[in-house]
Amino acid sequence: MAAATPNRRPLVLLLLVVLAAIVLGFLLLREPSPEAPAPTPEPTAAQPVDPAEIEAEPDAVVAELLPALQSLQQVDLDQPPARRNLDLQHWTTEQGTRVYFMQAEELPMLDIQLLFAAGASRDGELPGLGTMTNAMLNEGTGDQDAGTIAAGFERLGAQFTNSAHRDMALAGLRTLSADDKLDAAVALFTQVVARPSFPEDAFERLRNQLLASLKFRLQRPAALASEAFWADLYPGHPYGTLPEGQTESLQAMTPETLRQFHSQYYTTGNTVIALVGDINRERAERIAQRLADALPQGPAAPVITDPEPATSSHRHIEFDGQQTHILVGQHGISRHDPDYAALYVGNQILGGSGFGSRLMQEIRESRGLSYSVSSRLIPMQATGPVMVSMQTRSDQVDQALEVIHQSLDAFINEGPTEAELARTKRQINGEFPLSTANNAAIVAQLGMIGFYGLPLNHLQLFLDQVQALTVEDIRAAFARHFDPEQRLVITVGPAPGIADSAPADADNETDLQDQETDATPTPEPQA
């Protein structure tokens, strides 16, 4: 053991030398030489910013563009929200065409809408004539066909729109306001609307589409209910025919028939021009005059007469389906009736406001008779209808009709509650800014004002009338206009007595709105 001890000393000495070298290297790394280059500083953007510096130097541009935030707790819910100031202007062209205009410089765009008293109520002996004429406007003009016209608008970044309803037919243009785009777009739009060529091949194609659509309607119970409702409520009246026409009337039309209709109703005296966008009054006058110069010359169409009073009736149409569609309604009012505001608000409370309405509470929430139920007030040039629509199981039809009649009678006799009226006023005032939130909405409002000959400050008057309404005002208005003895009922579904255990669903609820686009482009707030 003693002889082995000296042999370990060289190993111990070696370990001590290695340990000393490690310690020395560590010390050298911690203290770099003065000649070594200084470390590269971090980029300025990575340095933390002192909040005090932000407050001392605010972003002036952002502060100018963004309004100060307001706490929701500080908002007075009893006061209507701020309304957009609408500088609406009105004049007539040399031919007597009425023009409505508002300058809006926020976007470099212009919206134009032309409204003609050329809807289905002017069809005469050929139902569908107004619809076919309007649909053919952009199918050809001069030497341009539908493809060339569409390419022309697309090349200019412009959009052409058209539609036909019972009271009116419309044509619209949305275009950029830059000179090189605006002038060309207005020129093409003017040619399309004022000088359509009604080509034979396009006429045959559109007629076949309408004929196919009529066959498809036979498979849609909501469409059948709507057609029967209008026919029974307006027998022998221009509102009673189907805007899409009938097979016999469509077959009897020719391109020449459409040309005659266009020359009679798409005239300077029968047109309203609405313009909203990034142009001044002088340029708006030039555009309106350009449109009026191009349109056929002619007078305004006669005003549609009011229908004869209807009597109470119930018509059932058998349809092999799982549900029964129900329409209950009667004559309402024209667009000029002084009770419009009261009936509009009352309808919102009754069934026009969705899940907060009284009918929804009675039909869906309390009894589970339907997924949805709604009521609509459709004021038109002549007396338009008011209607309640829903669908339910066939074995629940009698109960559903009883609830509808009871709800209508109670509303006529008692009116709404104070709470319902206050809530609906807040809703209408809250929604109203959306009706003037963009140029397209404003031009539709202007067109509606012009077409129905309403005062230029109609929108403000409407809101003021809504705010002044009382429960008694609404009750009295409903009692004046809605006689239970003139109530019409249409049901479409399985034969009475054939029960169906399938639950009511929403698959066809949108069809209940089917067919009638009411005669107003955008009523207030969705009028």
Side-chain angles (χ1 to χ4, degrees):
M1 295 293 295
T5 301
N7 294 335
R8 297 178 180 173
R9 289 177 181 174
L11 181 58
V12 172
L13 290 175
L14 180 60
L15 291 174
L16 291 175
V17 171
V18 172
L19 180 61
I22 292 174
V23 172
L24 180 61
F26 178 77
L27 293 175
L28 290 174
L29 290 174
R30 291 191 60 187
E31 297 180 5
S33 170
E35 289 77 18
T40 303
E42 294 291 334
T44 303
Q47 300 298 323
V49 181
D50 187 350
E53 296 179 5
I54 298 178
E55 295 180 3
E57 299 180 3
D59 189 331
V61 176
V62 174
E64 180 180 353
L65 294 178
L66 298 180
L69 295 178
Q70 183 181 9
S71 171
L72 290 176
Q73 296 178 348
Q74 298 174 345
V75 176
D76 186 355
L77 297 179
D78 293 328
Q79 295 297 322
R83 304 169 187 167
R84 181 175 182 177
N85 182 29
L86 302 179
D87 181 19
L88 307 183
Q89 303 175 47
H90 166 57
W91 68 90
T92 57
T93 67
E94 296 175 0
Q95 297 86 350
T97 305
R98 291 168 291 160
V99 183
Y100 294 79
F101 167 66
M102 191 187 93
Q103 184 172 355
E105 301 175 333
E106 293 84 357
L107 293 173
M109 303 182 71
L110 174 67
D111 282 272
I112 303 176
Q113 187 177 87
L114 272 60
L115 301 92
F116 309 91
S121 56
R122 310 293 174 175
D123 285 346
E125 300 299 321
L126 291 176
L129 182 56
T131 297
M132 276 289 291
T133 303
N134 184 269
M136 286 285 292
L137 291 179
N138 60 331
E139 291 293 333
T141 177
D143 59 353
Q144 302 183 72
D145 59 13
T148 306
I149 293 171
F153 283 123
E154 182 178 2
R155 183 176 62 254
L156 297 167
Q159 181 182 9
F160 174 84
T161 56
N162 58 320
S163 61
H165 312 279
R166 277 188 164 85
D167 260 351
M168 65 179 68
L170 302 95
L173 172 70
R174 164 167 282 194
T175 177
L176 297 171
S177 57
D179 292 344
D180 60 331
K181 300 293 191 299
L182 176 59
D183 292 340
V186 170
L188 181 56
F189 177 70
T190 302
Q191 190 173 1
V192 166
V193 176
R195 293 185 292 275
S197 59
F198 302 105
E200 183 74 34
D201 57 342
F203 171 79
E204 293 294 342
R205 172 170 49 82
L206 288 178
R207 178 165 62 180
N208 289 335
Q209 289 176 0
L210 282 178
L211 290 171
S213 175
L214 291 178
K215 293 181 180 179
F216 180 61
R217 287 181 65 89
L218 299 177
Q219 305 173 30
R220 303 169 60 196
L224 296 177
S226 176
E227 182 178 351
F229 178 83
W230 286 87
D232 288 6
L233 191 61
Y234 295 96
H237 188 270
Y239 287 166
T241 60
L242 185 65
E244 290 85 351
Q246 300 293 347
T247 300
E248 297 78 9
S249 62
L250 292 174
Q251 293 287 7
M253 294 180 196
T254 65
E256 181 58 31
T257 311
L258 273 58
R259 292 189 187 95
Q260 294 175 4
F261 185 89
H262 181 273
S263 64
Q264 181 177 359
Y265 291 109
Y266 284 71
T267 62
T268 53
N270 203 38
T271 304
V272 171
I273 302 174
L275 308 97
V276 176
D278 187 23
I279 58 173
N280 57 28
R281 167 70 179 261
E282 180 182 359
R283 192 165 193 184
E285 290 182 355
R286 292 201 303 269
I287 292 174
Q289 189 60 53
R290 182 177 182 179
L291 289 165
D293 289 341
L295 289 170
Q297 304 298 302
V303 175
I304 300 296
T305 58
D306 282 332
E308 294 295 327
T311 57
S312 180
S313 64
H314 181 175
R315 174 151 68 117
H316 180 76
I317 301 173
E318 290 192 16
F319 186 88
D320 185 15
Q322 295 181 340
Q323 311 293 322
T324 293
H325 290 252
I326 299 173
L327 279 178
V328 178
Q330 60 190 100
H331 290 145
I333 58 172
S334 73
R335 198 59 188 77
H336 301 89
D337 197 288
D339 282 332
Y340 172 72
L343 296 179
Y344 178 89
V345 174
N347 178 70
Q348 289 293 100
I349 297 170
L350 178 64
S353 58
F355 283 96
S357 68
R358 185 176 292 190
L359 282 172
M360 186 70 81
Q361 176 63 38
E362 295 297 328
I363 294 290
R364 171 174 167 153
E365 301 298 330
S366 297
R367 296 172 177 83
L369 295 174
S370 179
Y371 178 86
S372 178
V373 59
S374 63
S375 63
R376 302 179 67 203
L377 177 71
I378 308 178
M380 302 170 71
Q381 188 177 73
T383 300
V386 60
M387 64 178 73
V388 175
S389 58
M390 64 170 288
Q391 65 182 44
T392 189
R393 283 188 352 221
S394 58
D395 62 337
Q396 296 178 330
V397 171
D398 291 342
Q399 183 184 4
L401 286 173
E402 181 180 3
V403 175
I404 290 175
H405 287 306
Q406 289 177 349
S407 298
L408 292 174
D409 293 342
F411 200 85
I412 292 171
N413 294 329
E414 303 168 9
T417 65
E418 292 288 354
E420 288 174 327
L421 179 57
R423 183 188 69 242
T424 303
K425 285 183 178 181
R426 288 196 300 269
Q427 178 184 355
I428 291 174
N429 279 297
E431 292 175 347
F432 188 79
L434 296 177
S435 67
T436 57
N438 56 60
N439 292 0
I442 298 172
V443 80
Q445 295 283 7
L446 273 179
M448 178 267 299
I449 289 172
F451 185 85
Y452 290 111
L454 302 174
L456 203 58
N457 63 341
H458 163 73
L459 301 178
Q460 180 62 53
L461 289 176
F462 171 77
L463 291 179
D464 292 342
Q465 291 169 352
V466 168
Q467 285 298 105
L469 286 173
T470 65
V471 168
E472 177 56 27
D473 292 334
I474 295 176
R475 187 208 64 78
F478 267 71
R480 278 193 296 272
H481 291 279
F482 302 132
D483 183 355
E485 297 302 320
Q486 297 179 352
R487 204 171 287 164
L488 181 74
V489 177
I490 301 292
T491 53
V492 179
I498 301 179
D500 192 325
S501 60
D505 57 46
D507 290 345
N508 295 318
E509 285 299 322
T510 54
D511 288 345
L512 291 175
Q513 305 294 331
D514 160 64
Q515 40 327 300
E516 185 48 20
T517 37
D518 62 32
T520 56
T522 30
E524 54 310 277
Q526 58 190 92

